[in-house]
Amino acid sequence: MDKDRLAEIFEEVAVLLELKGENPFKARAYTNAARTLTQLNEPLETLVKENRLGEVKGIGERIQEKIKEAVTTGRLSYYEELKQSVPEGLVHMVDIPGLGPKKAKAVYEKLGVASIEDLEKACHQDQIAHLEGFGQKTQSKILEGIEFKRKYASRHLVSDVLALAEPILASLQEHPEVIRCDIAGSLRRFKEVIGDVDFLVSAKKSAGVIDFFTQQPGVVSVSAKGDTKASVILEKGIQGDLRVVSDTQFPFALAYFTGSKEHNIVMRQRSIQRGMHLNEYGLFQSREETRDPKYLVPCRTEEEIFAKLDLQYIPPELREDNGEFEAAEKGKLPKLLEWTDLKGSLHNHSNWSDGRDSLEQIADHMESIGCDYWGITDHSKSSFQANGLSPERVRKQIKAVNEVNQRLKDQGKRFRLLTGSEVDILSHGKKLDFDDSLLAELDIVVASIHQGFSQSESEMTKRILTAVENRYVHMLGHLTGRLLLEREAYKVDQYAIIDACGETGTWIELNANPLRFDLDWRLWQYAKSKGVKCVINCDAHRHEHAGFLRLGAGIARKGWLTKKDVINTLPMKSLTKELQKKRSG
Ligand code: DGT
Ligand code: CA
Ligand code: CA
Ligand code: ZN
């Protein structure tokens, strides 16, 4: 057990002791010990092995024994027993602003309230206000605290976080004292869902930068402000952390705070195997944990750190300990897709179904932002809630698309719309919403599920497989139907579907709507191994959704995809050829 984990445990022990109403000095001793541990410069193992715990200031004999036990056995029986004796919900209650251990204990003893949910109920029933020492004001503060904790403890879509973080990064970059700055953490790794944003800055002096950061537009409140760190709450309740370091430390801190934790652990191990120590302060030529500059192995950039550990530069999106080390060791990391490789989106909607814009408007806009083509795949008739098209309307739309294309051609433009349909995979009879004869008339056919979500996994899988086996279906749309942070995926055997797609030459969409990112990035390496191509689709319902291409590319990178793996990097001519393959095969 390392000192950070043990420090966390000691903090929790202190809370548990307070909840049990034990002597406050005893609780404080654990809080102090926790702080001492995090500031320790040596590994605990060394101190224990050499019997030198007594040298550490502020740690009494009783706590020394606990440290020994934790370090040698990896467990702390005292902590485990304490935990058993206090309801778990009560521990969570302590974190509510306006409550704390003393009040939590009182509420528990007097009303038997032992969870946040029960506490909220008791507030609404006006029970808390009538407890001795509480009152109306405290009660409403507790309710606010619960609200706050729910909202701000939540997780956020990468798109929302990016929209707030990028302007702040840009403005930090402009600050005169800032030397280098970047975003670290899960946002830099491009996770689909983000906890908080981590900004990192190098500067000669930090005070001005910290003030500047806390005054940025988008900052709603400042939760903490120190000499080298600050935490703020941004709009939508997103937390932002800033750390200011020296420019020498910058690349090391950037690598450390980019994570992931799992990736960092391997990096650390690699440094130890080479007689060094890597942490947020630097890479040190030392067999012990240290931050002493005299052992520093200077590195100007992350590239140099990786090189010192005999690794190719690992792009942030791949830092999940998901095979990147094996590949980087051999210099075999793929050259990841760039979003600018994308030439258009093949699954999109117009005002013929539930989109906002007309065919003319879509063509002009997508041409103006530099696309080569744009697929119009409105809903099919069974999606009546989305104004799905009947076969007659589909045929009319084909004509309308051709007219737009004729106009573009006359204007000497290269851009073209493609005709298509997002055809429903029906829930019964294992069928698609349109006959093959109609599908054969379209440039692009996307098959998706929009109804009958509650079927069993085997039924759902079979249903989708009929679409895969149809020679006119080019690709599957949003395979699992998940909506991040809103709706779980329906049950489906994704591996079986991927296998079948590989066998039939069917593509799978990476739906780039940030609520979906479906197929998930974790499955693309498998899909690739089965020879399945990816299509990064905006599923656009309005012009602004064209921006999803960039987000989708980020997720594709996270899934290790290269330009070659993605169909809509192809120029029009090769795309048209690819679109014919399955049909004629
Ligand atoms: P999030 O914010 O939950 O979306 O995810 P991250 O990855 O941004 O996590 P965060 O903000 O808690 O910390 C940023 C990075 O700092 C994390 O990816 C790795 C590094 N880090 C934080 N705590 C630890 C730790 O205890 N051990 C190691 N090895 N790395 C850590
Ligand atoms: Ca973070
Ligand atoms: Ca953080
Ligand atoms: Zn769609």
Side-chain angles (χ1 to χ4, degrees):
M1 189 182 299
D2 72 359
K3 56 194 182 212
D4 288 335
R5 175 68 194 128
L6 189 55
E8 274 171 29
I9 289 178
F10 279 178
E11 296 273 18
E12 215 179 304
V13 166
V15 171
L16 290 166
L17 288 172
E18 281 191 80
L19 285 174
K20 294 196 72 157
E22 297 257 7
N23 181 342
F25 291 106
K26 205 165 148 187
R28 200 163 317 141
Y30 280 95
T31 318
N32 291 340
R35 190 169 332 118
T36 310
L37 283 184
T38 54
Q39 289 164 351
L40 225 50
N41 264 328
E42 281 184 77
L44 272 180
E45 288 82 337
T46 319
L47 287 173
V48 170
K49 222 188 301 152
E50 299 173 10
N51 229 334
R52 291 193 288 114
L53 274 176
E55 290 172 24
V56 182
K57 247 204 226 127
I59 294 189
E61 261 177 42
R62 206 183 323 186
I63 294 188
Q64 286 178 35
E65 286 309 313
K66 304 272 189 309
I67 296 177
K68 265 187 224 158
E69 187 199 338
V71 169
T72 48
T73 69
R75 295 178 45 193
L76 189 57
S77 45
Y78 179 58
Y79 165 64
E80 284 163 15
E81 281 159 28
L82 262 177
K83 236 170 103 159
Q84 289 299 315
S85 66
V86 177
E88 201 184 319
L90 198 52
V91 180
H92 296 305
M93 278 165 54
V94 173
D95 286 333
I96 296 169
L99 202 64
K102 259 209 204 90
K103 288 210 176 76
K105 180 168 178 283
V107 172
Y108 174 58
E109 279 171 1
K110 291 182 187 150
L111 299 172
V113 165
S115 72
I116 295 180
E117 290 69 34
D118 287 350
L119 179 65
E120 186 175 33
K121 236 182 265 159
C123 286
H124 285 310
Q125 291 166 357
D126 217 23
Q127 290 178 10
I128 304 293
H130 293 101
L131 287 180
E132 202 188 327
F134 279 72
Q136 207 66 48
K137 223 168 138 188
T138 311
Q139 179 171 285
S140 31
K141 252 188 119 173
I142 291 172
L143 269 177
E144 268 173 43
I146 293 173
E147 188 64 24
F148 185 95
K149 192 169 183 249
R150 285 224 178 99
K151 191 164 165 204
Y152 295 116
S154 65
R155 309 188 48 78
H156 314 276
L157 297 180
V158 67
S159 48
D160 289 341
V161 181
L162 204 58
L164 278 162
E166 282 193 323
I168 295 180
L169 182 69
S171 99
L172 283 172
Q173 221 125 34
E174 293 304 313
H175 191 276
E177 277 164 26
V178 169
I179 306 168
R180 287 190 268 182
C181 66
D182 212 332
I183 288 168
S186 50
L187 184 56
R188 185 160 182 248
R189 301 200 313 280
F190 220 79
K191 282 285 290 282
E192 66 279 35
V193 169
I194 306 288
D196 63 9
V197 206
D198 304 278
F199 295 95
L200 184 72
V201 157
S202 69
K204 286 211 187 69
K205 281 184 293 183
S206 59
V209 181
I210 296 237
D211 283 334
F212 181 71
F213 173 70
T214 58
Q215 290 155 16
Q216 288 300 303
V219 171
V220 177
S221 69
V222 180
S223 0
K225 204 168 137 182
D227 295 340
T228 58
K229 280 201 262 196
S231 282
V232 298
I233 302 292
L234 303 168
E235 280 157 24
K236 301 198 176 177
I238 299 169
Q239 180 173 318
D241 293 340
L242 171 74
R243 284 183 187 79
V244 184
V245 300
S246 72
D247 201 52
T248 323
Q249 194 193 327
F250 186 82
F252 304 104
L254 182 61
Y256 181 86
F257 291 111
T258 297
S260 64
K261 225 166 165 171
E262 294 74 18
H263 171 94
N264 286 354
I265 289 169
V266 180
M267 290 289 278
R268 243 179 102 77
Q269 284 164 352
R270 290 186 73 92
S271 71
I272 291 167
Q273 285 158 4
R274 287 160 181 76
M276 298 184 279
H277 256 88
L278 178 68
N279 55 38
E280 62 181 287
Y281 304 99
L283 176 65
F284 298 96
Q285 194 65 60
S286 155
R287 300 210 169 264
E288 306 275 301
E289 186 65 74
T290 177
R291 49 175 102 160
D292 188 336
K294 81 173 177 247
Y295 301 117
L296 184 72
V297 180
C299 296
R300 281 286 304 152
T301 59
E302 278 188 329
E303 278 84 347
E304 293 182 29
I305 303 173
F306 284 114
K308 290 277 191 282
L309 301 179
D310 304 313
L311 293 167
Q312 201 183 350
Y313 175 74
I314 300 175
E317 295 93 332
L318 303 189
R319 299 185 196 169
E320 301 288 349
D321 189 20
N322 192 22
E324 71 269 29
F325 290 103
E326 290 89 324
E329 233 170 28
K330 301 187 198 118
K332 289 224 166 108
L333 284 172
K335 186 181 177 314
L336 300 179
L337 172 84
E338 301 286 340
W339 81 268
T340 46
D341 293 333
L342 297 171
K343 302 217 157 29
S345 158
L346 302 187
H347 163 194
N348 309 286
H349 301 269
S350 75
N351 63 359
W352 285 62
S353 65
D354 59 348
R356 185 192 64 189
D357 309 309
S358 71
L359 299 177
E360 294 282 349
Q361 290 168 330
I362 294 172
D364 289 339
H365 180 80
M366 299 312 163
E367 198 262 346
S368 78
I369 62 168
C371 290
D372 284 6
Y373 44 77
W374 200 258
I376 303 293
T377 55
D378 277 309
H379 289 286
S380 62
K381 63 179 191 299
S382 291
S383 279
F384 46 85
Q385 73 294 341
N387 195 23
L389 276 60
S390 64
E392 295 70 42
R393 286 182 71 220
V394 173
R395 292 200 165 96
K396 253 196 211 158
Q397 193 186 41
I398 297 176
K399 272 203 194 122
V401 167
N402 288 339
E403 279 166 27
V404 174
N405 281 340
Q406 187 59 49
R407 195 250 301 161
L408 292 163
K409 198 173 160 194
D410 293 344
Q411 290 174 322
K413 289 186 171 150
R414 195 175 52 162
F415 176 90
R416 295 289 180 271
L417 290 180
L418 293 161
T419 65
S421 172
E422 181 181 21
V423 65
D424 270 340
I425 303 171
L426 303 180
S427 32
H428 297 290
K430 295 203 279 173
K431 288 202 319 198
L432 298 176
D433 202 7
F434 288 144
D435 291 339
D436 287 359
S437 62
L438 179 58
L439 300 181
E441 291 175 44
L442 297 163
D443 295 329
I444 302 169
V445 177
V446 184
S448 307
I449 300 265
H450 290 112
Q451 43 174 298
F453 284 9
S454 53
Q455 288 178 327
S456 71
E457 178 174 319
S458 73
E459 276 176 304
M460 186 60 96
T461 306
K462 257 193 244 152
R463 204 175 141 190
I464 298 175
L465 285 177
T466 50
V468 173
E469 281 150 15
N470 184 308
R471 63 196 291 198
Y472 297 102
V473 170
H474 293 107
M475 68 192 96
L476 297 174
H478 43 72
L479 180 57
T480 76
R482 75 174 180 188
L483 295 180
L484 291 166
L485 305 173
E486 280 180 22
R487 182 175 80 199
E488 291 291 316
Y490 40 71
K491 293 194 228 67
V492 53
D493 182 348
Q494 299 189 69
Y495 291 97
I497 304 275
I498 291 170
D499 292 348
C501 285
E503 282 156 25
T504 55
T506 308
W507 309 329
I508 297 180
E509 164 180 278
L510 194 176
N511 192 298
N513 183 320
L515 258 176
R516 294 187 182 270
F517 291 144
D518 187 6
L519 197 69
D520 190 277
W521 57 269
R522 296 162 187 83
L523 283 164
W524 282 109
Q525 270 180 297
Y526 181 74
K528 191 175 165 172
S529 77
K530 295 289 164 177
V532 177
K533 296 279 184 209
C534 168
V535 189
I536 299 177
N537 283 325
C538 295
D539 194 353
H541 286 71
R542 44 179 68 211
H543 293 341
E544 302 86 279
H545 296 167
F548 294 168
L549 283 179
R550 185 186 153 207
L551 303 175
I555 296 293
R557 288 169 64 85
K558 202 158 184 57
W560 291 58
L561 296 184
T562 67
K563 186 173 174 182
K564 242 182 45 237
D565 303 320
V566 180
I567 288 290
N568 49 326
T569 60
L570 293 174
M572 183 68 147
K573 224 174 133 188
S574 331
L575 174 68
T576 318
K577 232 168 93 189
E578 288 298 322
L579 284 166
Q580 289 309 320
K581 268 197 184 154
K582 190 178 170 190
R583 296 184 168 184
S584 51

